[in-house]
Amino acid sequence: MVQIQLGPEQPVDPNEDGLGRSTVGWHPGMTEDAAWESGRGIWKLNAGRALNHDEAQIVNPAGRVLAVATITGLSKHGERFALEGELLRGDERVGTPTPTPHRSSCSVAYF
């Protein structure tokens, strides 16, 4: 599993964000769709390692699961990547503490 831990929400310029987002990061009450869009990219990550995993989990700073998705590929944005995949809406893990706490200072971890 690729796990992405979001930091606090912050604005970004949609013209400079490869995914056209106006904000990135986490905020209370975030929907699964919003968590996936915020968390799937754009990251410095090991592309080969990411593609060796079938699933992505987006978590908040406290380690609570915000969204779960299957990984179907990557899109390249300069030297960085975004995960491509299908959001598993209503996955039973959403809203629960992750069983694999994110111990790294990096936003991306591989389990």
Side-chain angles (χ1 to χ4, degrees):
M1 169 184 49
V2 177
Q3 187 180 80
I4 311 262
Q5 184 176 49
L6 299 179
E9 187 175 60
Q10 59 186 339
V12 294
D13 183 343
N15 296 317
E16 294 180 14
D17 181 77
L19 299 176
R21 302 169 296 179
S22 59
T23 62
V24 294
W26 170 79
H27 68 270
M30 185 174 236
T31 66
E32 289 176 68
D33 289 272
W36 172 239
E37 280 307 307
S38 183
R40 69 185 195 87
I42 296 172
W43 304 103
K44 268 190 178 179
L45 54 80
N46 182 316
R49 214 167 159 196
L51 290 172
N52 282 330
H53 295 277
D54 296 327
E55 190 172 81
Q57 189 179 81
I58 312 300
V59 300
N60 71 9
R64 198 158 287 275
V65 178
L66 302 171
V68 178
T70 59
I71 298 172
T72 59
L74 298 173
S75 58
K76 191 166 169 67
H77 302 268
E79 297 297 315
R80 296 173 182 252
F81 297 90
L83 297 172
E84 301 296 333
E86 286 189 41
L87 179 62
L88 301 175
R89 286 182 189 86
D91 187 281
E92 64 186 15
R93 294 167 285 183
V94 172
T96 66
T98 182
T100 52
H102 200 95
R103 299 191 196 311
S104 172
S105 61
C106 298
S107 297
V108 179
Y110 307 91
F111 295 97

